[in-house]
Amino acid sequence: MDGRPALGKVEDLATLAKLDDKVLLEELRARYRNNDIYTYVGDILIAVNPFREIPGLYEDAESQRYFLEQKSSNPPHIFAVADTTYQNIIGYGGRVPQNQCVLISGESGAGKTESTKLIIKQLIELCRGNTQLEQQILQVNPLLESFGNAQTLMNDNSSRFGKYIQLVFKDGHVMGAKISEYLLEKSRVVSQGKNEENFHIFYYMFAGLSNEFKAAHYLQSADKFRYLTNGACSLSRDPSLMKSRYEDLVNAMDMVGFTDEDQMSTFNMLASVLHLGNVTFGMDDNDAAFIEDENGAVKVASKLLGISTQEVVGTLTAMVTFTRGEQVKRNYTAERARDACDAMAKAIYGRLFGWIVNKVNQLLAPPLMHAEQREIGILDIFGFEHFEKNSFEQACINLANEQLQFFFNQHVFKLEQDEYTKEGIDWTEIKFVDNQPLLNLFLNKPIGILSLLDEESNFPKGSDHTFVDKLNIHFHGNDYYEKSQQSTSGKFTIHHYAGKVAYDSSFWLEKNRDTLPPGVMEIFQGSTDELVKLMFRGQVTRTGSLSLQARKSMSRRTRRSKKPSMDGRKRKLTVGGQFKNSLQILMERMMSSSPVFVRCLKPNHVKVPGKFDETYIRNQLLYTGMLETIKIRREGFAVRPSFPEFVEKYKIILCKPSLEGNKQNCVQILKASKITGWQVGKTKVFMKYYHLEQLSEIFKVMGKSAVHFQKVVRGFLARQRVKVLRLEAQKQTQRVYNFLSQINNLSIEFNNHQHSARVHDKSIPPAYFTGGDYALPPPPVPTFDGVATPPGSGNKYMEPVGPTSRSFGTQAENSDSDQFSDDEFKPISSTQFGTPGTRQATVKWFKETQAQQVYDPAVSSFIAEWFHGVISRRSSEVLLGSKPIGCFLIRVSESRFGYSLSFRAEGRVRHYMIDQLPNKKFVIVGEKKVHRTLKDLVDYYSTNHLSNWDGYLSESCGQEDGNCDYQELIADNYYFKLEQEAPSHRPNSSGPRRQQASRIRASRTPVGAPQRDPTVSGPPIPDRNYTIPKNTNVKIRSSAAMSGRPLPQRPDEAHKRLLQNQRTKYDY
């Protein structure tokens, strides 16, 4: 009736002529029922959580549709957001390259974490990379989810921490990544609400760890541990799912680069946390706490952590202070001792999580920033929460969401409309709800909720009750603060942008202080476990992250005053203070980038697919200001380049290479482009969000025309060049013909002279013309006495190859300063062996790090039959050309430090790169499974498919008869012996994989000198084909023993002359 398109068919709501909350709900409901969960509002994406998988929505075919495409050419999709940000950083389609940040917001359970993973997945696809770094980045999210996510009432996979993922790109390829984490909910480790769970990792452990590991660490069933209040239910609900997720986690840790030792230490610490929860306390007649069983849980936890049980017992039950030079021991009550034990468990888990993030940043560190590098940041932060009981964590989480809403309002409404007014364009102001006063309520100094909390936390007699009293006094009459009707309840209410939330102040001061019992830090720093020691010697930065390098923040140090506290001690930065710093830095990062917004909506409270709760959805749309957003996107100007920027980028439309960046030229370009709806201000051009696509389309048309023009011109130039070359070739042919004719004439002339001499000159004996005593002697046989010995031979063949090692991390000095900045990492260098791709560097890399990988573990003296040296792709195809399907080999790569898997498939030979990860494990690039050794990799794909091939590796392709293509890779402390078998003993190549006749074996005894053939009078021809190595640590001096070693390489030409002379002289 109103001329509107069919219900549910509008992909961009900003294009609707009439729009109110009713029309908006109808469109979203209709699209949701059609499984169209994505909808545009201008350049903003709305995503409604379907609570189920939609077939085909995220398949590879769908991903390929969103590769450097215009947004309007495909249906709305989260992949389109990734494509847009990628086009913006590479400057595709006339865009100015600039850093991007994707802000994903919504309530808990709205689908933010899944949206983050999908965006990263699509960005990796767009890179078209061929390194393992892409797979490592994809595994970061599942890894961090295991340790930082948990089931809550609102979300089965709720993020209990915030993260900002920075992907660094250069020339369109991802170069590395960095993770910044915010406010891990450590209190969840020791207590969870009703029907809620601890972090996922604890349940994965019980489902996946071996029985031997559990027994060694005294891990009983999950319901026996106090920290897993809902453990038994979680594991019994779907144990197979939990086990598969444990396996995925271990593989993700392998893929990212965590060593086996790192993983073992991680699970040791997790087990120790659970045992600390089972420590029970009693009180004696003097109300002094004691541990009821000192040989029980506390002893197990201490052993796993590498610390003294007696020291732990003493620290958890009493505090020692010094008063006027005297030592005073103050015993804890049982309740205080329990709190101390819980604080210890939280500290262990918090430091462990910080170390994992730090380790990920180390392993995925991008190169140092250069001007041509660009960055895409993705913010995945906890959603707005409103539970029956809301504590300090919910206040911080909701404050973060307030800050994001403020950033959205500033970017979409305030800054944009201020610019319209400043530039003097025709504009009617659109009103919006500004939440700046609520942020002031939390963040103001000295009278703000967090400042007052810090103040009360620093008072020895401060309590949660006195804190609420201060809030009631200072914020009485504030529109955003509401005092509780019960003066002794310790509660207060905040009017957030998303609704009213009542907070319970219980334990706020304790959580804000986040202190450890005296002496605990020193105990951990003296641990015999290297990882525990490393983590607790690290420093906590001003944002709350763990720094192992203890780098001082110079800018921070120069800004802050050196004024000491009243009691003369340096005060530890509180959790609230760290969180404020985190928000400030986060806002700075986002303000320096071009933001892209994704609004996630939760269709119902009960997490049921197919249910669209209109009231619930309406509330989310209202408090996020979506109606106002649609209006400003429809009427406003989202693209606002300056005159010089616009002219520089789009002057090609006028076909003028040089053009001044002024208003007049901008108008000429806009008119020539034939787009409508733009305005020109005093210093900037104002365009709609869809104008970029229209200009990009013009660029495409002009680009095709330019390519066609280049094709014609290059064709003409090439034809002219061919004419010149053809004429030159004809001249050269004629010169060669003339030269050969001269030689032929001279030859005839010489032959005539010789014939004349033979007939007429009788003084010349006939033997002169037929050979005999007058024959010319053969050229002398060259000697090799002066040939230099190749580097690395000499006496080093008797020396064992020493193992190489790589140090990890830097221990920080102990300090109580809060002025530490995040650690900085450099990528692991690959040039320590020389320039990658050179043969010399490859040989050095293999000898020093890979020699043990090529031996068959079953028999230590055998080299794996499938192993080949540095051979080309073409050579491997020749070797495999006549082999059956599934026949394979692994060769050392020519172009990098790694391997290549080549195997015979249907109709051709396939090739796959094999990378070695920082933890020395192996993975086929593009595959998800990590393997400890090359043999494990071969065994796995003998029974499992590759992702894009349905066959199996079935038979090794060994060396050809008498050939050895890896001789140069074998270390100098090995020598070789040639093994030959009669052809009749050779196994059928089409049979099952087994030892081939040409297999290279180590000699168990020194090899004697080569045997002469009695029928040949001359010396034997040296055979250059050697086979397998034997390690010998005994110096052998005899010539018979030495003859088995490889001969030094000889100059090719001299060697050929030697062989030719021998054949001529001895007639063989």
Side-chain angles (χ1 to χ4, degrees):
M1 295 176 60
D2 54 3
R4 207 174 78 196
L7 193 63
K9 300 301 181 182
V10 179
E11 296 180 343
D12 186 352
L13 299 181
T15 61
L16 290 173
K18 177 184 178 182
L19 188 66
D20 53 25
D21 57 345
K22 180 180 178 181
V23 173
L24 180 57
L25 279 173
E26 288 176 349
E27 289 289 343
L28 291 178
R29 182 179 63 245
R31 292 183 62 79
Y32 184 73
R33 289 176 177 172
N34 291 332
N35 289 333
D36 296 324
I37 61 173
Y38 296 113
T39 308
Y40 290 131
V41 175
D43 54 358
I44 300 170
L45 181 71
I46 297 179
V48 185
N49 192 346
F51 289 120
R52 64 182 180 87
E53 292 186 5
I54 299 177
L57 187 58
Y58 306 113
E59 298 295 332
D60 291 342
E62 192 72 8
S63 174
Q64 296 304 316
R65 295 177 63 185
Y66 297 87
F67 177 68
L68 301 181
E69 291 289 342
Q70 293 185 9
K71 190 180 68 172
S72 58
S73 62
N74 288 307
H77 204 291
I78 193 71
F79 289 164
V81 173
D83 191 24
T84 298
T85 58
Y86 185 74
Q87 292 182 39
N88 288 338
I89 63 165
I90 65 175
Y92 182 80
R95 295 171 173 84
V96 178
Q98 55 184 334
N99 293 338
Q100 303 285 298
C101 68
V102 182
L103 276 68
I104 307 173
S105 59
E107 289 194 359
S108 180
K112 299 182 299 300
T113 299
E114 291 302 314
S115 296
T116 299
K117 290 189 287 188
L118 290 169
I119 288 176
I120 294 176
K121 174 180 178 292
Q122 181 66 5
L123 286 173
I124 297 301
E125 288 291 331
L126 293 171
C127 290
R128 297 292 196 264
N130 60 352
T131 69
Q132 200 52 38
L133 176 63
E134 290 85 359
Q135 274 297 330
Q136 290 177 290
I137 291 173
L138 289 176
Q139 295 301 319
V140 168
N141 262 305
L143 170 59
L144 296 182
E145 281 181 29
S146 300
F147 290 88
N149 287 30
Q151 178 178 313
T152 66
L153 291 175
M154 298 182 69
N155 187 358
D156 291 342
N157 187 35
S158 177
S159 296
R160 308 319 299 165
F161 73 107
K163 62 178 178 289
Y164 188 66
I165 305 172
Q166 296 165 268
L167 302 180
V168 179
F169 295 82
K170 182 181 179 183
D171 299 328
H173 297 288
V174 64
M175 306 299 294
K178 181 182 178 182
I179 313 294
S180 301
E181 47 102 359
Y182 307 104
L183 195 69
L184 177 69
E185 188 186 22
K186 293 185 290 187
S187 61
R188 182 168 292 271
V189 174
V190 300
S191 65
Q192 306 92 42
K194 184 179 180 181
N195 296 325
E196 293 197 350
E197 295 182 357
N198 210 319
F199 292 103
H200 293 326
I201 182 60
F202 292 108
Y203 309 107
Y204 297 170
M205 282 175 55
F206 282 98
L209 287 175
S210 66
N211 293 329
E212 291 78 11
F213 185 94
K214 293 178 185 177
H217 295 76
Y218 304 95
L219 293 176
Q220 310 165 45
S221 60
D223 57 357
K224 301 295 183 182
F225 290 95
R226 188 175 71 90
Y227 286 165
L228 303 180
T229 56
N230 198 31
C233 296
S234 174
L235 288 170
S236 61
R237 186 168 57 245
D238 197 344
S240 60
L241 176 63
M242 292 291 175
K243 184 175 182 179
S244 68
R245 288 182 176 174
Y246 168 81
E247 294 170 352
D248 292 342
L249 166 65
V250 172
N251 194 71
M253 296 184 78
D254 285 339
M255 180 70 74
V256 175
F258 287 78
T259 65
D260 291 342
E261 292 76 15
D262 291 337
Q263 296 177 37
M264 182 60 68
S265 296
T266 298
F267 290 120
N268 282 348
M269 297 182 71
L270 293 171
S272 72
V273 168
L274 293 177
H275 285 296
L276 284 175
N278 281 4
V279 176
T280 55
F281 297 91
M283 279 200 303
D284 59 19
D285 296 338
N286 297 321
D287 292 336
F290 66 90
I291 295 179
E292 294 180 349
D293 184 6
E294 294 188 7
N295 292 320
V298 67
K299 185 174 182 179
V300 175
S302 301
K303 180 181 178 182
L304 294 173
L305 294 168
I307 56 181
S308 168
T309 304
Q310 293 303 317
E311 290 183 355
V312 174
V313 171
T315 304
L316 293 181
T317 56
M319 177 177 62
V320 177
T321 60
F322 289 87
T323 303
R324 297 179 181 178
E326 294 183 1
Q327 180 175 312
V328 179
K329 180 179 180 181
R330 298 180 180 178
N331 294 319
Y332 292 157
T333 63
E335 181 181 1
R336 179 75 182 276
R338 179 72 264 164
D339 291 342
C341 190
D342 289 346
M344 187 174 179
K346 290 188 292 184
I348 294 170
Y349 194 86
R351 293 254 173 173
L352 176 63
F353 186 80
W355 171 78
I356 290 173
V357 174
N358 189 283
K359 180 80 170 179
V360 167
N361 287 335
Q362 179 199 16
L363 294 169
L364 303 183
L368 296 178
M369 290 297 294
H370 298 287
E372 62 270 19
Q373 288 185 353
R374 291 291 180 266
E375 178 184 294
I376 297 178
I378 304 160
L379 181 64
D380 176 20
I381 205 163
F382 11 60
F384 189 86
E385 293 185 346
H386 186 188
F387 298 125
E388 183 177 343
K389 181 179 180 180
N390 300 286
S391 188
F392 176 67
E393 293 84 3
Q394 278 68 49
C396 291
I397 288 171
N398 293 339
L399 171 60
N401 282 272
E402 289 282 357
Q403 187 73 70
L404 293 181
Q405 180 66 19
F406 174 77
F407 178 81
F408 178 82
N409 290 340
Q410 288 287 105
H411 184 82
V412 174
F413 294 106
K414 190 174 189 308
L415 295 178
E416 188 169 323
Q417 295 190 100
D418 287 349
E419 197 163 14
Y420 296 161
T421 303
K422 179 182 176 182
E423 290 286 324
I425 69 169
D426 185 17
W427 178 254
T428 303
E429 183 180 3
I430 297 176
K431 300 294 182 180
F432 66 98
V433 178
D434 188 358
N435 64 338
Q436 178 70 65
L438 191 139
L439 290 177
N440 294 338
L441 174 69
F442 271 93
L443 301 176
N444 268 358
K445 293 182 179 181
I447 307 300
I449 291 178
L450 292 184
S451 295
L452 292 174
L453 179 62
D454 286 350
E455 178 183 286
E456 201 66 17
S457 298
N458 290 324
F459 287 144
K461 294 185 179 180
S463 66
D464 300 323
H465 183 73
T466 57
F467 166 63
V468 175
D469 288 343
K470 283 189 176 182
L471 295 183
N472 293 335
I473 293 171
H474 287 289
F475 301 126
H476 177 71
N478 190 302
D479 293 337
Y480 295 91
Y481 180 86
E482 184 178 324
K483 177 182 176 181
S484 174
Q485 299 298 322
Q486 300 177 356
S487 58
T488 60
S489 66
K491 295 182 179 180
F492 60 93
T493 301
I494 301 295
H495 292 241
H496 287 284
Y497 78 100
K500 295 195 300 184
V501 178
Y503 294 101
D504 188 332
S505 66
S506 301
F507 305 109
W508 274 48
L509 267 65
E510 177 186 337
K511 293 176 180 179
N512 189 49
R513 291 167 180 154
D514 193 29
T515 54
L516 274 173
V520 170
M521 185 66 74
E522 290 76 10
I523 292 175
F524 283 135
Q525 290 174 348
S527 170
T528 58
D529 185 287
E530 292 300 322
L531 181 57
V532 175
K533 185 190 301 184
L534 175 70
M535 290 192 306
F536 282 90
R537 287 187 177 183
Q539 301 292 341
V540 176
T541 69
R542 63 191 184 98
T543 61
S545 59
L546 182 65
S547 169
L548 302 179
Q549 298 174 352
R551 295 175 57 254
K552 291 293 184 73
S553 176
M554 301 303 295
S555 59
R556 175 79 173 171
R557 185 166 52 192
T558 55
R559 279 202 314 266
R560 291 171 60 100
S561 67
K562 298 295 182 180
K563 182 178 178 180
S565 60
M566 297 299 295
D567 56 5
R569 296 178 298 176
K570 292 182 180 179
R571 290 178 176 172
K572 174 180 175 290
L573 193 63
T574 62
V575 173
Q578 293 169 352
F579 191 60
K580 282 197 294 185
N581 291 334
S582 298
L583 289 179
Q584 178 184 351
I585 293 174
L586 179 62
M587 291 301 111
E588 291 172 357
R589 286 174 176 167
M590 292 192 300
M591 289 297 292
S592 64
S593 304
S594 177
V596 178
F597 298 100
V598 178
R599 288 288 195 184
C600 294
L601 301 180
K602 190 176 179 181
N604 57 74
H605 282 290
V606 291
K607 300 177 284 190
V608 174
K611 183 177 180 181
F612 191 89
D613 188 332
E614 292 191 12
T615 302
Y616 189 36
I617 290 287
R618 179 186 286 109
N619 291 337
Q620 294 176 68
L621 294 173
L622 289 177
Y623 71 64
T624 56
M626 195 52 61
L627 281 173
E628 293 82 359
T629 302
I630 294 172
K631 187 174 182 181
I632 198 171
R633 277 294 172 263
R634 183 173 55 197
E635 300 176 8
F637 304 92
V639 184
R640 302 180 293 277
S642 65
F643 291 160
E645 290 174 345
F646 182 80
V647 171
E648 179 64 26
K649 199 66 184 177
Y650 297 106
K651 61 187 177 184
I652 191 64
I653 294 177
L654 296 179
C655 299
K656 295 182 179 180
S658 179
L659 205 61
E660 185 178 351
N662 55 34
K663 182 176 181 178
Q664 181 180 359
N665 289 331
C666 290
V667 173
Q668 288 183 16
I669 294 172
L670 289 167
K671 288 182 177 179
S673 67
K674 298 181 180 180
I675 62 175
T676 59
W678 46 267
Q679 291 195 41
V680 179
K682 299 176 182 177
T683 62
K684 292 185 176 182
V685 176
F686 291 81
M687 298 185 291
K688 304 289 185 179
Y689 65 89
Y690 51 81
H691 282 156
L692 276 183
E693 286 194 358
Q694 295 176 356
L695 291 172
S696 177
E697 187 62 28
I698 295 174
F699 267 44
K700 280 187 177 181
V701 174
M702 296 185 71
K704 290 179 181 178
S705 300
V707 169
H708 181 73
F709 179 76
Q710 290 173 353
K711 180 181 71 172
V712 173
V713 172
R714 287 174 177 171
F716 171 77
L717 295 176
R719 286 189 292 273
Q720 296 303 310
R721 177 63 176 163
V722 167
K723 288 181 181 179
V724 173
L725 293 175
R726 183 180 290 116
L727 182 60
E728 181 64 29
Q730 292 173 352
K731 292 180 179 178
Q732 182 69 17
T733 301
Q734 186 62 42
R735 286 195 294 268
V736 171
Y737 176 78
N738 294 337
F739 177 69
L740 293 177
S741 297
Q742 292 177 13
I743 292 176
N744 184 59
N745 294 333
L746 289 173
S747 176
I748 294 172
E749 184 180 354
F750 175 77
N751 187 59
N752 292 335
H753 282 298
Q754 187 182 43
H755 179 72
S756 176
R758 187 173 183 179
V759 172
H760 298 98
D761 193 347
K762 301 300 183 180
S763 63
I764 302 176
Y768 179 83
F769 300 100
T770 60
D773 295 336
Y774 291 93
L776 294 176
V781 177
T783 64
F784 298 98
D785 296 335
V787 178
T789 303
S793 53
N795 290 331
K796 288 189 177 181
Y797 76 98
M798 303 297 296
E799 301 174 4
V801 179
T804 60
S805 62
R806 183 175 293 163
S807 59
F808 160 67
T810 304
Q811 291 185 350
E813 296 179 359
N814 188 19
S815 173
D816 54 359
S817 172
D818 66 327
Q819 300 178 23
F820 293 95
S821 60
D822 292 337
D823 290 347
E824 287 186 356
F825 299 106
K826 296 180 180 179
I828 298 174
S829 174
S830 61
T831 60
Q832 57 180 311
F833 306 106
T835 304
T838 61
R839 201 171 191 89
Q840 182 179 2
T842 300
V843 171
K844 183 178 180 182
W845 165 78
F846 185 90
K847 286 185 175 182
E848 294 187 12
T849 67
Q850 302 296 307
Q852 72 282 3
Q853 290 293 336
V854 301
Y855 293 100
D856 190 334
V859 182
S860 60
S861 59
F862 283 80
I863 287 185
E865 188 178 0
W866 37 257
F867 176 67
H868 287 255
V870 188
I871 64 175
S872 67
R873 178 188 180 110
R874 177 59 184 160
S875 297
S876 67
E877 291 174 350
V878 171
L879 286 170
L880 293 166
S882 59
K883 303 294 184 182
I885 292 176
C887 187
F888 70 96
L889 60 85
I890 292 179
R891 55 190 170 89
V892 179
S893 174
E894 294 180 290
S895 59
R896 69 190 203 290
F897 297 135
Y899 299 90
S900 293
L901 168 67
S902 301
F903 61 85
R904 186 78 166 82
E906 297 80 359
R908 65 186 180 97
V909 175
R910 288 175 174 258
H911 305 274
Y912 292 79
M913 292 189 295
I914 300 175
D915 273 359
Q916 188 173 34
L917 301 172
N919 55 12
K920 307 303 181 186
K921 298 180 182 179
F922 296 90
V923 64
I924 295 178
V925 174
E927 300 294 318
K928 296 181 179 180
K929 180 66 177 175
V930 180
H931 312 273
R932 281 181 167 77
T933 65
L934 289 175
K935 184 179 185 304
D936 289 345
L937 183 148
V938 168
D939 292 343
Y940 179 82
Y941 289 108
S942 296
T943 55
N944 293 272
H945 297 297
L946 287 159
S947 60
N948 60 351
W949 186 57
D950 294 334
Y952 302 97
L953 303 183
S954 59
E955 177 183 336
S956 297
C957 178
Q959 302 286 325
E960 287 189 328
D961 290 342
N963 287 328
C964 175
D965 56 27
Y966 55 73
Q967 173 187 335
E968 62 182 338
L969 300 177
I970 302 302
D972 297 324
N973 57 326
Y974 294 92
Y975 66 94
F976 304 89
K977 154 182 173 179
L978 178 63
E979 179 185 28
Q980 295 285 355
E981 283 190 37
S984 60
H985 296 156
R986 181 176 318 213
N988 190 343
S989 62
S990 62
R993 179 158 35 112
R994 64 185 203 179
Q995 308 299 336
Q996 301 290 330
S998 61
R999 186 165 187 172
I1000 303 171
R1001 297 189 177 137
S1003 174
R1004 302 252 179 214
T1005 58
V1007 182
Q1011 300 296 318
R1012 292 173 179 254
D1013 187 342
T1015 63
V1016 179
S1017 59
I1021 300 175
D1023 198 325
R1024 299 291 296 175
N1025 300 321
Y1026 298 94
T1027 53
I1028 206 165
K1030 174 193 171 186
N1031 193 346
T1032 174
N1033 294 319
V1034 181
K1035 292 186 177 181
I1036 302 172
R1037 299 293 184 184
S1038 68
S1039 60
M1042 292 293 289
S1043 64
R1045 294 186 57 232
L1047 296 177
Q1049 293 183 357
R1050 292 167 289 200
D1052 290 341
E1053 293 298 323
H1055 181 51
K1056 290 178 180 178
R1057 287 200 303 271
L1058 172 63
L1059 298 182
Q1060 182 62 37
N1061 292 335
Q1062 289 176 336
R1063 291 190 180 98
T1064 303
K1065 186 172 184 179
Y1066 299 105
D1067 194 24
Y1068 65 90

